[in-house]
Amino acid sequence: EYYKEKRARITPEEILDIISKEGNVSVKNILSHCRDTEMVICRHIYCGILRKNYRYSLPFIARKVGRDHTTIMHATEQFTNRYRFEDKFRKLVDRINYVIEEKI
């Protein structure tokens, strides 16, 4: 129930907009099939936040980014590993989470 309450206060699209602004990558590019590092990082953050913070299902997230659910599994694993080991990535995610919390 806690996650449903959090979901009600902010939409996945609003989260995507915040990631786009903070990551300095357009929404269109985040959702594209482009594999430039910045876009991949923002895409992984989007998938990771929707999955870990809001408990959205893999198929739901997959539909949001136009990918397969197994791709989302990989993206969320990458999100977890990068968050654990990469300072720059962690700082970006923390900043995004801060902005999201300010908005809700």
Side-chain angles (χ1 to χ4, degrees), residues 58-75:
L58 295 171
F60 176 86
I61 300 168
R63 285 191 300 275
K64 288 286 173 198
V65 294
R67 305 290 195 289
D68 185 84
H69 79 277
T70 56
T71 304
I72 306 309
M73 284 172 59
H74 177 72

PDB file of all heavy atoms in Angstrom, residues 58-75:
ATOM      1  N   LEU A  58       7.873  -5.216 -14.020  1.00  0.00           N
ATOM      2  CA  LEU A  58       8.792  -5.200 -15.166  1.00  0.00           C
ATOM      3  C   LEU A  58       8.044  -4.957 -16.477  1.00  0.00           C
ATOM      4  O   LEU A  58       8.483  -4.133 -17.280  1.00  0.00           O
ATOM      5  CB  LEU A  58       9.608  -6.501 -15.214  1.00  0.00           C
ATOM      6  CG  LEU A  58      10.562  -6.720 -14.037  1.00  0.00           C
ATOM      7  CD1 LEU A  58      11.153  -8.125 -14.079  1.00  0.00           C
ATOM      8  CD2 LEU A  58      11.672  -5.684 -14.020  1.00  0.00           C
ATOM      9  N   PRO A  59       6.915  -5.662 -16.725  1.00  0.00           N
ATOM     10  CA  PRO A  59       6.191  -5.396 -17.983  1.00  0.00           C
ATOM     11  C   PRO A  59       5.684  -3.947 -18.092  1.00  0.00           C
ATOM     12  O   PRO A  59       5.714  -3.361 -19.172  1.00  0.00           O
ATOM     13  CB  PRO A  59       5.016  -6.378 -17.949  1.00  0.00           C
ATOM     14  CG  PRO A  59       5.473  -7.475 -17.045  1.00  0.00           C
ATOM     15  CD  PRO A  59       6.347  -6.805 -16.011  1.00  0.00           C
ATOM     16  N   PHE A  60       5.249  -3.367 -16.973  1.00  0.00           N
ATOM     17  CA  PHE A  60       4.791  -1.977 -16.982  1.00  0.00           C
ATOM     18  C   PHE A  60       5.936  -1.043 -17.389  1.00  0.00           C
ATOM     19  O   PHE A  60       5.773  -0.189 -18.273  1.00  0.00           O
ATOM     20  CB  PHE A  60       4.253  -1.579 -15.600  1.00  0.00           C
ATOM     21  CG  PHE A  60       3.843  -0.135 -15.504  1.00  0.00           C
ATOM     22  CD1 PHE A  60       2.566   0.265 -15.875  1.00  0.00           C
ATOM     23  CD2 PHE A  60       4.742   0.829 -15.052  1.00  0.00           C
ATOM     24  CE1 PHE A  60       2.194   1.612 -15.803  1.00  0.00           C
ATOM     25  CE2 PHE A  60       4.376   2.171 -14.976  1.00  0.00           C
ATOM     26  CZ  PHE A  60       3.100   2.560 -15.350  1.00  0.00           C
ATOM     27  N   ILE A  61       7.091  -1.201 -16.751  1.00  0.00           N
ATOM     28  CA  ILE A  61       8.251  -0.355 -17.067  1.00  0.00           C
ATOM     29  C   ILE A  61       8.681  -0.587 -18.510  1.00  0.00           C
ATOM     30  O   ILE A  61       9.006   0.360 -19.233  1.00  0.00           O
ATOM     31  CB  ILE A  61       9.418  -0.622 -16.086  1.00  0.00           C
ATOM     32  CG1 ILE A  61       8.980  -0.312 -14.642  1.00  0.00           C
ATOM     33  CG2 ILE A  61      10.645   0.218 -16.462  1.00  0.00           C
ATOM     34  CD1 ILE A  61       9.950  -0.806 -13.577  1.00  0.00           C
ATOM     35  N   ALA A  62       8.652  -1.843 -18.941  1.00  0.00           N
ATOM     36  CA  ALA A  62       9.029  -2.185 -20.319  1.00  0.00           C
ATOM     37  C   ALA A  62       8.161  -1.425 -21.323  1.00  0.00           C
ATOM     38  O   ALA A  62       8.667  -0.892 -22.318  1.00  0.00           O
ATOM     39  CB  ALA A  62       8.926  -3.690 -20.543  1.00  0.00           C
ATOM     40  N   ARG A  63       6.866  -1.351 -21.054  1.00  0.00           N
ATOM     41  CA  ARG A  63       5.964  -0.601 -21.943  1.00  0.00           C
ATOM     42  C   ARG A  63       6.320   0.887 -21.946  1.00  0.00           C
ATOM     43  O   ARG A  63       6.263   1.539 -22.991  1.00  0.00           O
ATOM     44  CB  ARG A  63       4.501  -0.793 -21.534  1.00  0.00           C
ATOM     45  CG  ARG A  63       3.937  -2.150 -21.923  1.00  0.00           C
ATOM     46  CD  ARG A  63       2.423  -2.230 -21.756  1.00  0.00           C
ATOM     47  NE  ARG A  63       1.961  -1.997 -20.394  1.00  0.00           N
ATOM     48  CZ  ARG A  63       1.896  -2.932 -19.449  1.00  0.00           C
ATOM     49  NH1 ARG A  63       2.283  -4.172 -19.704  1.00  0.00           N
ATOM     50  NH2 ARG A  63       1.458  -2.631 -18.236  1.00  0.00           N
ATOM     51  N   LYS A  64       6.683   1.417 -20.792  1.00  0.00           N
ATOM     52  CA  LYS A  64       7.025   2.842 -20.683  1.00  0.00           C
ATOM     53  C   LYS A  64       8.245   3.204 -21.530  1.00  0.00           C
ATOM     54  O   LYS A  64       8.322   4.298 -22.072  1.00  0.00           O
ATOM     55  CB  LYS A  64       7.296   3.241 -19.227  1.00  0.00           C
ATOM     56  CG  LYS A  64       6.054   3.294 -18.374  1.00  0.00           C
ATOM     57  CD  LYS A  64       5.240   4.511 -18.725  1.00  0.00           C
ATOM     58  CE  LYS A  64       3.913   4.531 -18.034  1.00  0.00           C
ATOM     59  NZ  LYS A  64       2.978   5.443 -18.679  1.00  0.00           N
ATOM     60  N   VAL A  65       9.214   2.297 -21.597  1.00  0.00           N
ATOM     61  CA  VAL A  65      10.449   2.603 -22.339  1.00  0.00           C
ATOM     62  C   VAL A  65      10.546   1.877 -23.681  1.00  0.00           C
ATOM     63  O   VAL A  65      11.557   1.978 -24.365  1.00  0.00           O
ATOM     64  CB  VAL A  65      11.728   2.344 -21.489  1.00  0.00           C
ATOM     65  CG1 VAL A  65      11.808   3.293 -20.322  1.00  0.00           C
ATOM     66  CG2 VAL A  65      11.815   0.915 -21.017  1.00  0.00           C
ATOM     67  N   GLY A  66       9.490   1.151 -24.037  1.00  0.00           N
ATOM     68  CA  GLY A  66       9.481   0.471 -25.333  1.00  0.00           C
ATOM     69  C   GLY A  66      10.508  -0.639 -25.447  1.00  0.00           C
ATOM     70  O   GLY A  66      11.169  -0.790 -26.469  1.00  0.00           O
ATOM     71  N   ARG A  67      10.650  -1.384 -24.378  1.00  0.00           N
ATOM     72  CA  ARG A  67      11.608  -2.494 -24.348  1.00  0.00           C
ATOM     73  C   ARG A  67      10.930  -3.756 -23.843  1.00  0.00           C
ATOM     74  O   ARG A  67       9.771  -3.742 -23.454  1.00  0.00           O
ATOM     75  CB  ARG A  67      12.788  -2.175 -23.410  1.00  0.00           C
ATOM     76  CG  ARG A  67      13.550  -0.909 -23.672  1.00  0.00           C
ATOM     77  CD  ARG A  67      14.366  -1.016 -24.958  1.00  0.00           C
ATOM     78  NE  ARG A  67      15.379   0.012 -25.091  1.00  0.00           N
ATOM     79  CZ  ARG A  67      15.148   1.283 -25.330  1.00  0.00           C
ATOM     80  NH1 ARG A  67      13.932   1.744 -25.406  1.00  0.00           N
ATOM     81  NH2 ARG A  67      16.150   2.136 -25.474  1.00  0.00           N
ATOM     82  N   ASP A  68      11.694  -4.825 -23.799  1.00  0.00           N
ATOM     83  CA  ASP A  68      11.267  -6.129 -23.299  1.00  0.00           C
ATOM     84  C   ASP A  68      11.480  -6.168 -21.783  1.00  0.00           C
ATOM     85  O   ASP A  68      12.376  -5.508 -21.268  1.00  0.00           O
ATOM     86  CB  ASP A  68      12.153  -7.174 -23.993  1.00  0.00           C
ATOM     87  CG  ASP A  68      11.767  -8.576 -23.678  1.00  0.00           C
ATOM     88  OD1 ASP A  68      10.856  -9.101 -24.333  1.00  0.00           O
ATOM     89  OD2 ASP A  68      12.380  -9.139 -22.755  1.00  0.00           O
ATOM     90  N   HIS A  69      10.683  -6.954 -21.069  1.00  0.00           N
ATOM     91  CA  HIS A  69      10.834  -6.989 -19.596  1.00  0.00           C
ATOM     92  C   HIS A  69      12.208  -7.501 -19.161  1.00  0.00           C
ATOM     93  O   HIS A  69      12.718  -7.105 -18.133  1.00  0.00           O
ATOM     94  CB  HIS A  69       9.713  -7.805 -18.930  1.00  0.00           C
ATOM     95  CG  HIS A  69       9.888  -9.270 -19.002  1.00  0.00           C
ATOM     96  ND1 HIS A  69       9.528 -10.005 -20.110  1.00  0.00           N
ATOM     97  CD2 HIS A  69      10.398 -10.149 -18.110  1.00  0.00           C
ATOM     98  CE1 HIS A  69       9.831 -11.272 -19.888  1.00  0.00           C
ATOM     99  NE2 HIS A  69      10.354 -11.383 -18.692  1.00  0.00           N
ATOM    100  N   THR A  70      12.840  -8.364 -19.972  1.00  0.00           N
ATOM    101  CA  THR A  70      14.173  -8.853 -19.592  1.00  0.00           C
ATOM    102  C   THR A  70      15.216  -7.732 -19.693  1.00  0.00           C
ATOM    103  O   THR A  70      16.173  -7.700 -18.924  1.00  0.00           O
ATOM    104  CB  THR A  70      14.614 -10.058 -20.458  1.00  0.00           C
ATOM    105  OG1 THR A  70      14.569  -9.683 -21.836  1.00  0.00           O
ATOM    106  CG2 THR A  70      13.710 -11.260 -20.226  1.00  0.00           C
ATOM    107  N   THR A  71      14.999  -6.818 -20.618  1.00  0.00           N
ATOM    108  CA  THR A  71      15.876  -5.646 -20.732  1.00  0.00           C
ATOM    109  C   THR A  71      15.761  -4.796 -19.478  1.00  0.00           C
ATOM    110  O   THR A  71      16.760  -4.252 -18.980  1.00  0.00           O
ATOM    111  CB  THR A  71      15.494  -4.814 -21.979  1.00  0.00           C
ATOM    112  OG1 THR A  71      15.542  -5.671 -23.119  1.00  0.00           O
ATOM    113  CG2 THR A  71      16.415  -3.631 -22.174  1.00  0.00           C
ATOM    114  N   ILE A  72      14.552  -4.704 -18.944  1.00  0.00           N
ATOM    115  CA  ILE A  72      14.324  -3.925 -17.724  1.00  0.00           C
ATOM    116  C   ILE A  72      15.010  -4.605 -16.535  1.00  0.00           C
ATOM    117  O   ILE A  72      15.585  -3.931 -15.682  1.00  0.00           O
ATOM    118  CB  ILE A  72      12.812  -3.731 -17.452  1.00  0.00           C
ATOM    119  CG1 ILE A  72      12.114  -3.129 -18.672  1.00  0.00           C
ATOM    120  CG2 ILE A  72      12.600  -2.871 -16.205  1.00  0.00           C
ATOM    121  CD1 ILE A  72      12.753  -1.885 -19.255  1.00  0.00           C
ATOM    122  N   MET A  73      14.965  -5.934 -16.497  1.00  0.00           N
ATOM    123  CA  MET A  73      15.687  -6.667 -15.434  1.00  0.00           C
ATOM    124  C   MET A  73      17.165  -6.300 -15.476  1.00  0.00           C
ATOM    125  O   MET A  73      17.773  -6.003 -14.439  1.00  0.00           O
ATOM    126  CB  MET A  73      15.529  -8.188 -15.610  1.00  0.00           C
ATOM    127  CG  MET A  73      14.189  -8.713 -15.190  1.00  0.00           C
ATOM    128  SD  MET A  73      13.945 -10.454 -15.604  1.00  0.00           S
ATOM    129  CE  MET A  73      15.290 -11.227 -14.735  1.00  0.00           C
ATOM    130  N   HIS A  74      17.739  -6.316 -16.668  1.00  0.00           N
ATOM    131  CA  HIS A  74      19.153  -5.974 -16.829  1.00  0.00           C
ATOM    132  C   HIS A  74      19.408  -4.525 -16.401  1.00  0.00           C
ATOM    133  O   HIS A  74      20.380  -4.240 -15.684  1.00  0.00           O
ATOM    134  CB  HIS A  74      19.592  -6.191 -18.278  1.00  0.00           C
ATOM    135  CG  HIS A  74      20.999  -5.789 -18.540  1.00  0.00           C
ATOM    136  ND1 HIS A  74      22.076  -6.502 -18.081  1.00  0.00           N
ATOM    137  CD2 HIS A  74      21.521  -4.716 -19.180  1.00  0.00           C
ATOM    138  CE1 HIS A  74      23.196  -5.895 -18.434  1.00  0.00           C
ATOM    139  NE2 HIS A  74      22.882  -4.805 -19.099  1.00  0.00           N
ATOM    140  N   ALA A  75      18.529  -3.619 -16.825  1.00  0.00           N
ATOM    141  CA  ALA A  75      18.695  -2.199 -16.496  1.00  0.00           C
ATOM    142  C   ALA A  75      18.661  -1.973 -14.985  1.00  0.00           C
ATOM    143  O   ALA A  75      19.454  -1.197 -14.446  1.00  0.00           O
ATOM    144  CB  ALA A  75      17.610  -1.365 -17.180  1.00  0.00           C
TER     145      ALA A  75
END
